[in-house]
Amino acid sequence: MPEKEVSKLSIYNSLSRKKEEFEPINPPFVGLYVCGPTVYGDPHLGHARAAVTFDVIYRYLKFLGYKVRYVRNITDVGHLEQEETEQGEDKIAKKARLEEVEPMEIVQKYTISYHKGMDLLNCLRPDIEPTATGHIIEQIALIKKILDNGFGYEVNGNIYFDLEKYQQENDYGQLSGKILEDLQAGSRDTAGIDEKKSPHDFALWKKATPAHIMRWDSPWGEGYPGWHLECTAMSLKYLGNKFDIHGGGLDLQFPHHEAEIAQCRSAHGHDPVNYWVHNNMITIDGAKMSKSAGNFINLDELFEGRHEKLAKAYSPMVVRFLILQSHYRSKIDFSNDALSAAEKGYNRLMGAVALLNELKSSPDFSDAEGSLDKEILDACRKCNESMNDDFNTAQVLAALFDLSSKINALHNGQLSKTDLSKNALHEMVNTVDQFVFAILGLQAESTGEDGLTDELIELLIEIRKEARENKDFATSDKIRDELQEIGVRLKDEKGGTRFEIDR
């Protein structure tokens, strides 16, 4: 087993609806598959939530010593506008038609945009990033196997999955909790329903109409794969017929992941994965993200402050910090207040990290056990225990802020360095470094030529405010004067302190 493990990792399995002890199929190897984006638009907050969630899971599994193969696909064909009824245009083909370019130009443009956004959020790239169009052969082979086993049928060049046959021995809806009889499509667009055995049967292969640009040869004529089939084919190709963890957003439980389970059982006779992990959704000012409602925010708009709902720009690390403040199975509400609070929290944490780097070289810490040791070691242990409890980053941050309070108190003399042993200090330094950077994936914000960022100045203003409240006017004046020397002028006003920079 991994050497760094303190307590046993447990993961909430969406299929069983309970936390389960994590037992890899073939330790120390772990297979992780995550449904990636359909690349027809710029990345948005929903993409950020999923990417950060599974980036942390990937990081932590590697931290524990597992050899992880992380696969996240790119959907570049087959994702139709109406997901549940499989009606409407292909999302990428429609975008290409509107912009009067080739579909693969759309794919290339928005794949690059997605990578740029996730890189700014400091999300590690997956080990394999397959595309649906690059795996047509594997998808056709999977369809043949499903047909051979009697769980599919052909009508006019379309191949459908036979849910009635599947339901005879399987529970379709086990993952999502949906009951098949309640799933009758509500769409007025019923094209193709008459040729299905059941309106619930989903497409494995769609016959291409004369106007459909994206098309491939198959035993059933020219067409393109169904959206659900893509992830099944790619995950099984790179992770085997059964692997450890399959992740994605909660909105993918039905129909996408439900269909993946059905396809794998029909082709191979067993479930594709042991642990299903789903991150919850994002709301903006309490409402679901929606372009028509005007609360749909792309990452570029967020990082540059170019949206009417934003009071200012927020850095990628502040966005990442806000995501980490909530457990991945909880909803997150993005608002200016939430982002502002996250910005302050991020700055305080990074300020404590900087102070700790100064403290660790101090000779004043005790060689013997100190009175602060237990509190420090308990907070360090809490970081490990929280991550092992279904990747609870919110509790990790709470423990890190406990340590931050101790760091600040040791730095300003409220706590004596002689009350902390060098061994406990060493453990705190390692824990903060490992969890802040390696596991949570936070970074210190880059600075300009003068070494300043607006966030750092705001942090100094906050420290100065606390100093004034504590009647420590020497520190308050020192911060003001030294900032002025490097061209930052503070202006104390009724509503607070603002700054101007001469650059």
Side-chain angles (χ1 to χ4, degrees):
M1 291 304 297
E3 296 178 357
K4 296 180 182 178
E5 208 167 25
V6 175
S7 58
K8 195 69 177 175
L9 173 63
S10 66
I11 301 177
Y12 182 87
N13 190 343
S14 298
L15 190 62
S16 65
R17 293 172 180 76
K18 64 182 181 181
K19 291 180 186 176
E20 299 176 3
E21 191 174 284
F22 180 58
E23 293 286 353
I25 295 170
N26 186 28
F29 301 99
V30 172
L32 169 65
Y33 185 90
V34 177
C35 290
T38 301
V39 282
Y40 69 104
D42 288 315
H44 53 68
L45 289 173
H47 292 129
R49 178 85 197 266
V52 170
T53 293
F54 292 101
D55 179 62
V56 170
I57 290 174
Y58 178 42
R59 287 170 179 270
Y60 190 61
L61 289 170
K62 294 206 299 181
F63 171 78
L64 290 178
Y66 292 114
K67 298 181 183 299
V68 187
R69 177 178 287 176
Y70 176 19
V71 182
R72 184 184 66 206
N73 74 295
I74 295 289
T75 294
D76 55 357
V77 68
H79 195 167
L80 305 186
E81 291 177 287
Q82 298 170 37
E83 296 172 3
E84 294 198 16
T85 61
E86 298 182 318
Q87 306 301 321
E89 282 190 81
D90 182 296
K91 292 183 176 184
I92 289 167
K94 180 178 180 179
K95 187 74 170 180
R97 177 174 59 79
L98 293 174
E99 295 194 10
E100 298 182 328
V101 296
E102 286 288 333
M104 286 300 113
E105 290 182 67
I106 294 297
V107 169
Q108 179 76 350
K109 174 182 177 180
Y110 291 113
T111 299
I112 291 171
S113 180
Y114 176 79
H115 285 154
K116 175 188 171 185
M118 299 313 112
D119 289 347
L120 288 171
L121 289 166
N122 197 32
C123 292
L124 300 175
R125 296 280 181 100
D127 300 299
I128 302 174
E129 196 171 48
T131 63
T133 57
H135 295 78
I136 299 297
I137 292 173
E138 289 83 357
Q139 293 172 77
I140 290 174
L142 182 60
I143 294 171
K144 287 180 178 179
K145 186 165 290 190
I146 293 172
L147 286 171
D148 289 343
N149 291 341
F151 290 99
Y153 58 94
E154 178 186 357
V155 182
N156 299 323
N158 296 301
I159 310 296
Y160 296 107
F161 188 86
D162 191 339
L163 271 176
E164 183 177 352
K165 172 71 179 295
Y166 178 77
Q167 282 280 89
Q168 291 174 8
E169 297 181 3
N170 298 275
D171 181 10
Y172 186 79
Q174 184 181 357
L175 178 67
S176 61
K178 292 181 181 285
I179 300 172
L180 189 59
E181 287 69 25
D182 296 337
L183 299 179
Q184 181 65 47
S187 171
R188 294 177 183 174
D189 187 351
T190 59
I193 285 181
D194 289 344
E195 67 182 23
K196 297 180 182 180
K197 292 182 180 179
S198 164
H200 309 303
D201 293 349
F202 55 86
L204 301 172
W205 185 265
K206 297 277 282 186
K207 180 181 179 180
T209 63
H212 200 94
I213 299 175
M214 304 174 79
R215 57 205 298 146
W216 291 264
D217 286 330
S218 80
W220 318 284
E222 286 194 341
Y224 55 95
W227 174 42
H228 310 312
L229 188 79
E230 299 169 3
C231 284
T232 299
M234 289 185 282
S235 63
L236 300 185
K237 176 179 174 65
Y238 294 109
L239 298 176
N241 288 345
K242 189 160 190 175
F243 55 96
D244 297 295
I245 302 172
H246 192 313
L250 193 62
D251 57 327
L252 294 176
Q253 272 193 345
F254 184 87
H256 190 52
H257 290 162
E258 204 75 76
E260 282 193 60
I261 293 173
Q263 289 165 163
C264 186
R265 285 181 181 173
S266 300
H268 300 291
H270 56 71
D271 281 0
V273 63
N274 279 348
Y275 304 88
W276 285 92
V277 179
H278 293 92
N279 64 274
N280 211 323
M281 297 296 98
I282 283 176
T283 58
I284 298 179
D285 291 330
K288 182 180 178 181
M289 278 200 307
S290 168
K291 288 184 179 180
S292 60
N295 67 344
F296 188 90
I297 302 179
N298 290 332
L299 293 185
D300 280 348
E301 294 173 330
L302 182 57
F303 299 156
E304 299 170 14
R306 294 186 290 102
H307 195 281
E308 61 183 12
K309 284 189 171 290
L310 298 171
K312 53 172 285 189
Y314 292 95
S315 74
M317 284 302 101
V318 168
V319 175
R320 186 177 179 105
F321 187 89
L322 177 58
I323 291 171
L324 295 172
Q325 277 186 308
S326 296
H327 189 275
Y328 74 87
R329 288 190 286 113
S330 301
K331 283 186 179 180
I332 295 178
D333 186 48
F334 271 71
S335 65
N336 274 296
D337 287 345
L339 286 162
S340 179
E343 186 173 61
K344 291 178 181 177
Y346 166 78
N347 287 334
R348 284 184 176 277
L349 181 60
M350 300 312 293
V353 171
L355 292 178
L356 182 58
N357 287 330
E358 293 180 20
L359 286 173
K360 67 183 181 182
S361 59
S362 171
D364 300 330
F365 293 99
S366 173
D367 289 318
E369 183 176 338
S371 59
L372 287 173
D373 283 17
K374 185 178 185 306
E375 293 178 55
I376 296 293
L377 295 175
D378 282 349
C380 292
R381 192 177 303 109
K382 182 68 173 175
C383 289
N384 287 283
E385 291 175 350
S386 297
M387 279 304 292
N388 280 337
D389 183 14
D390 194 29
F391 312 107
N392 196 332
T393 58
Q395 290 299 319
V396 171
L397 284 174
L400 289 173
F401 275 115
D402 284 345
L403 292 174
S404 297
S405 297
K406 298 291 190 299
I407 293 166
N408 284 305
L410 287 165
H411 182 267
N412 62 29
Q414 289 176 310
L415 293 176
S416 173
K417 296 177 185 177
T418 58
D419 291 332
L420 182 66
S421 72
K422 291 178 181 177
N423 286 337
L425 172 67
H426 178 72
E427 183 66 22
M428 177 165 63
V429 169
N430 282 344
T431 298
V432 169
D433 182 64
Q434 290 167 347
F435 278 85
V436 171
F437 300 113
I439 296 171
L440 297 185
L442 293 168
Q443 293 176 314
E445 296 283 6
S446 59
T447 60
E449 292 182 2
D450 55 10
L452 287 174
T453 64
D454 289 355
E455 290 79 11
L456 180 57
I457 296 171
E458 292 284 2
L459 176 60
L460 291 170
I461 289 173
E462 188 67 23
I463 294 171
R464 177 173 176 264
K465 177 184 175 184
E466 291 179 2
R468 294 176 73 184
E469 289 172 351
N470 294 329
K471 301 191 183 305
D472 182 1
F473 298 113
T475 298
S476 170
D477 292 344
K478 180 178 175 64
I479 292 172
R480 180 199 62 205
D481 295 342
E482 293 195 2
L483 281 174
Q484 188 163 331
E485 284 183 14
I486 56 175
V488 181
R489 290 177 286 109
L490 301 185
K491 294 193 175 184
D492 296 315
E493 299 175 346
K494 187 174 181 180
T497 301
R498 65 181 181 87
F499 65 91
E500 295 179 354
I501 303 177
D502 300 322
R503 285 178 174 164

